Amino acid sequence: MLCSYKLWVQVSYPPHLKLLNQNSNIPIPKTKTQFQRKSLDSRFDDIDDDADGSGLRKFALPSHVKSITSTSNPFVKHCLKLKNSSSYRHSHASALVVGTTPIREIYSYKESSQEKTVIDCLLLLENAEIPEGLDTHSCHVVRIGSMVMKKLSGVQSAESIEAIALMRFPTSFLNLTVDQNKSDSQSWFPSTHRILVLDGIQDPGNLGTLIRSAMAFQWLVFIVLKCLHSIIAPDSVLVNTQQDGIFLLPGCCDPFNEKALRASRGASFQLPIVSGSWYHLQTLKDAFNMKMLAGHPDIDGKLKKPFSLSQEFVHSVAHVPSCLVLGSEGRGLSKKSQLKCELVSIPMTGKFESLNVSVAGGIFLYMLQPKN
């Protein structure tokens, strides 16, 4: 099998060359066999060709490969790049989902919404059972050794992680700065009653937690991403018909970052997420006449006095389409967010000035969640 392929060649040298070869500073020419091995490994090399015209780069694992035991395998290196590099992830429109629970949750959600889940490859620990409920006929299952699992999962105890899925980005993810054909704001979200807008959230743990909370309380997410050059398949459309979503403004980290995916428990694959600029957000606001709210601590000396997140305030906006903007952990809301939005603060009897953004976000999302 190619992935566990080993080759031992005994090479004889003349006596004077054998002596010289003991000196590591003198290079030894590659043998023909070494060049042959290199050509075999090159089959797995990244392919930059746009094979199907989608604009996405390709990396295909040969279908006959059923087991990988070496951490130096080219496909393992490809997976590590997907894990560690945002630009690499988005150029391939793929991400690694680590752990049986988030994989199963994503798959179950997609099945219930009748949307196809695209698992390009399911990596299972040796002797581990296939996660219950997964249709393995539509994906490539590969068994991997414990050292490979440790390297890809980042967890020292390989026994605690039994599955990793290589998944394509969901069709519910849209990057407006790249896909210029999606200028119609009517198609960005299936519903626009409640949109969570993240402004410069850089901590992936906080980002993932907010996405998970938005999923729980039926919000949509709009995130402004910093230097994210995504390439989205031309047929990408939003198909979720039950929830609103998230809008990402510039400066946010990647929602498919390893830590963000772990914190969101796979919600990044289930909730419509749109990344764009304030121009796009203003277009959305004008199209649906949305109220712009922003979470902000009640600090003396501010130009605008925040509203208190009281029951009266919640009741006043219950039936009003609204965007809730949450700012970064260190700098808070951007100047533009402060000027464009009505500020809202969480009343606190304690003396702390503010809460962690994921904690505060959870309170806002719960209090302002859409009412059936």
Side-chain angles (χ1 to χ4, degrees):
M1 188 166 293
L2 193 55
C3 288
S4 57
Y5 176 82
K6 294 182 179 180
L7 186 60
W8 297 91
V9 178
Q10 184 173 356
V11 181
S12 298
Y13 297 95
H16 64 284
L17 286 181
K18 184 180 292 186
L19 180 63
L20 289 175
N21 288 344
Q22 295 174 1
N23 186 343
S24 60
N25 294 326
I26 299 177
I28 302 174
K30 288 186 177 180
T31 66
K32 181 178 179 181
T33 305
Q34 287 174 307
F35 282 115
Q36 288 175 338
R37 179 57 190 270
K38 174 64 177 176
S39 66
L40 286 173
D41 284 346
S42 66
R43 295 186 200 174
F44 293 94
D45 288 345
D46 191 15
I47 301 172
D48 292 332
D49 295 337
D50 182 12
D52 60 2
S54 67
L56 302 176
R57 297 163 66 188
K58 305 295 183 296
F59 191 109
L61 183 66
S63 59
H64 67 270
V65 176
K66 303 299 181 186
S67 174
I68 299 177
T69 58
S70 172
T71 56
S72 61
N73 182 277
F75 184 71
V76 175
K77 294 179 180 179
H78 166 66
C79 291
L80 283 173
K81 285 184 180 181
L82 290 176
K83 174 185 174 184
N84 298 324
S85 171
S86 176
S87 61
Y88 193 81
R89 274 192 300 275
H90 285 267
S91 69
H92 289 80
S94 299
L96 288 184
V97 179
V98 179
T100 301
T101 300
I103 293 172
R104 187 163 45 223
E105 286 183 358
I106 294 171
Y107 190 87
S108 298
Y109 177 82
K110 296 295 186 181
E111 287 290 298
S112 64
S113 63
Q114 296 183 342
E115 181 183 354
K116 183 179 180 181
T117 304
V118 182
I119 301 179
D120 283 330
C121 187
L122 181 64
L123 305 175
L124 291 178
L125 191 64
E126 292 173 331
N127 301 321
E129 295 184 1
I130 294 174
E132 185 179 354
L134 261 65
D135 178 14
T136 56
H137 295 291
S138 58
C139 68
H140 188 177
V141 178
V142 178
R143 296 285 176 174
I144 60 175
S146 59
M147 293 304 295
V148 175
M149 180 61 78
K150 286 180 182 179
K151 188 143 190 167
L152 293 180
S153 66
V155 178
Q156 290 303 312
S157 176
E159 290 74 18
S160 61
I161 302 293
E162 293 187 340
I164 296 177
L166 177 58
M167 290 188 175
R168 296 184 204 173
F169 284 176
T171 57
S172 54
F173 176 73
L174 180 64
N175 187 352
L176 297 174
T177 60
V178 172
D179 195 343
Q180 303 296 330
N181 296 324
K182 297 295 181 181
S183 58
D184 181 13
S185 59
Q186 301 278 348
S187 66
W188 295 351
F189 296 110
S191 169
T192 54
H193 185 63
R194 287 290 184 266
I195 304 294
L196 174 61
V197 180
L198 302 182
D199 182 8
I201 305 294
Q202 298 176 345
D203 182 271
N206 285 335
L207 183 77
T209 301
L210 287 167
I211 292 175
R212 185 177 177 184
S213 298
M215 180 79 185
F217 299 121
Q218 291 193 321
W219 285 64
L220 289 171
V221 184
F222 192 125
I223 309 175
V224 180
L225 298 178
K226 183 178 182 180
C227 299
L228 178 61
H229 303 292
S230 303
I231 301 176
I232 306 300
D235 59 346
S236 295
V237 293
L238 297 174
V239 297
N240 189 314
T241 58
Q242 299 298 321
Q243 296 174 309
D244 298 278
I246 297 179
F247 194 107
L248 303 180
L249 286 170
C252 286
C253 69
D254 185 0
F256 300 102
N257 170 287
E258 173 203 3
K259 293 181 180 178
L261 284 176
R262 186 183 305 141
S264 72
R265 291 286 289 271
S268 299
F269 282 83
Q270 304 174 50
L271 193 66
I273 298 178
V274 175
S275 116
S277 65
W278 259 104
Y279 167 78
H280 299 113
L281 187 57
Q282 186 67 43
T283 301
L284 187 72
K285 171 187 177 296
D286 294 342
F288 296 96
N289 194 26
M290 304 187 74
K291 180 183 280 292
M292 302 297 294
L293 307 174
H296 198 276
D298 188 2
I299 303 174
D300 293 336
K302 293 296 179 183
L303 294 177
K304 294 198 296 187
K305 179 71 175 176
F307 291 95
S308 176
L309 187 64
S310 62
Q311 289 293 343
E312 291 76 16
F313 179 82
V314 170
H315 180 73
S316 69
V317 298
H319 302 290
V320 179
S322 303
C323 290
L324 172 66
V325 183
L326 298 176
S328 68
E329 302 81 0
R331 295 170 296 179
L333 291 171
S334 64
K335 293 295 183 183
K336 195 157 192 175
S337 294
Q338 293 184 46
L339 291 173
K340 294 275 189 180
C341 302
E342 296 181 14
L343 304 183
V344 186
S345 67
I346 298 172
M348 295 185 291
T349 55
K351 295 182 179 180
F352 280 103
E353 181 180 284
S354 63
L355 297 172
N356 171 277
V357 65
S358 63
V359 175
I363 296 173
F364 277 114
L365 294 173
Y366 169 73
M367 292 292 290
L368 298 170
Q369 65 182 305
K371 308 297 182 184
N372 293 329

